[in-house]
Amino acid sequence: MITKYLLVFLISMVPLIELRGAIPVAAAWGLMPTDNMPKLMAAYALCIVGNMLPVPVIYLFARRFLEWGQDKKFISGICTFFLTKGAKAGKKLEAKAGHGLFIALLLFVGIPLPGTGAWTGTLGASLLDMKFKPTILAVMGGVLLAGIIMMLASLGVLGAAGAVLN
């Protein structure tokens, strides 16, 4: 059982998968039983912590590493890709948000779509030179929101609500 929790924790740290993939895995492995609220919340919290753990490191070091690596022989392609993707996402977010960049970042990270997670949001925020504390708070809020959405979807609540509304 501990191995499953550890794997879910590690899955939530993987870029592009993050807790959007970890929560459905936890639900499929029986780590989020609807009849055991403490166990369900423990698995949810584990996914949140795993997803948030890399965020300060990404904010502080990813941009520097990517800029350093964009002219290196073996890693220039991937570094350029991530710098371009992060800058594009950041500029798009800034254009739509204006002065509401904090809320826009929170929603960008919180809507569980591919490429809109904590990794991309944090990189975009660092490329936009957002301050550290607002970035961490917005990404945390987004991760919490995405976690709730994914948990409800994984447990069938959203499907049941859709069936009732139809």
Side-chain angles (χ1 to χ4, degrees):
M1 188 62 82
I2 297 292
T3 304
K4 288 182 179 180
Y5 281 108
L6 180 60
L7 286 172
V8 165
F9 178 76
L10 293 174
I11 290 169
S12 69
M13 294 176 70
V14 175
L16 301 175
I17 297 172
E18 302 180 25
L19 95 164
R20 294 158 167 78
I23 287 178
V25 168
W29 286 348
L31 302 179
M32 297 184 117
T34 55
D35 62 341
N36 187 338
M37 192 57 71
K39 194 172 180 183
L40 182 139
M41 292 312 293
Y44 172 76
L46 188 68
C47 292
I48 297 296
V49 171
N51 200 174
M52 284 302 297
L53 198 61
V55 168
V57 176
I58 296 164
Y59 182 87
L60 296 171
F61 300 110
R63 180 179 179 179
R64 291 179 191 158
F65 173 78
L66 293 173
E67 288 172 348
W68 169 83
Q70 65 183 349
D71 63 349
K72 303 301 184 256
K73 185 176 181 178
F74 294 108
I75 61 172
S76 66
I78 193 77
C79 289
T80 302
F81 169 79
F82 282 118
L83 277 172
T84 304
K85 180 152 177 68
K88 183 180 175 185
K91 296 295 181 199
K92 188 176 180 182
L93 192 62
E94 189 175 41
K96 287 185 178 181
H99 294 292
L101 195 54
F102 177 88
I103 297 296
L105 179 59
L106 186 147
L107 293 174
F108 178 82
V109 174
I111 305 301
L113 296 171
T116 64
W119 284 71
T120 308
T122 304
L123 179 58
S126 77
L127 293 173
L128 290 172
D129 294 320
M130 276 184 71
K131 299 223 179 290
F132 181 77
K133 187 176 179 181
T135 297
I136 299 301
L137 292 174
V139 170
M140 173 63 101
V143 167
L144 291 169
L145 176 61
I148 289 169
I149 293 169
M150 290 306 301
M151 185 170 56
L152 293 174
S154 296
L155 298 175
V157 175
L158 295 179
V164 169
L165 295 175
N166 283 332

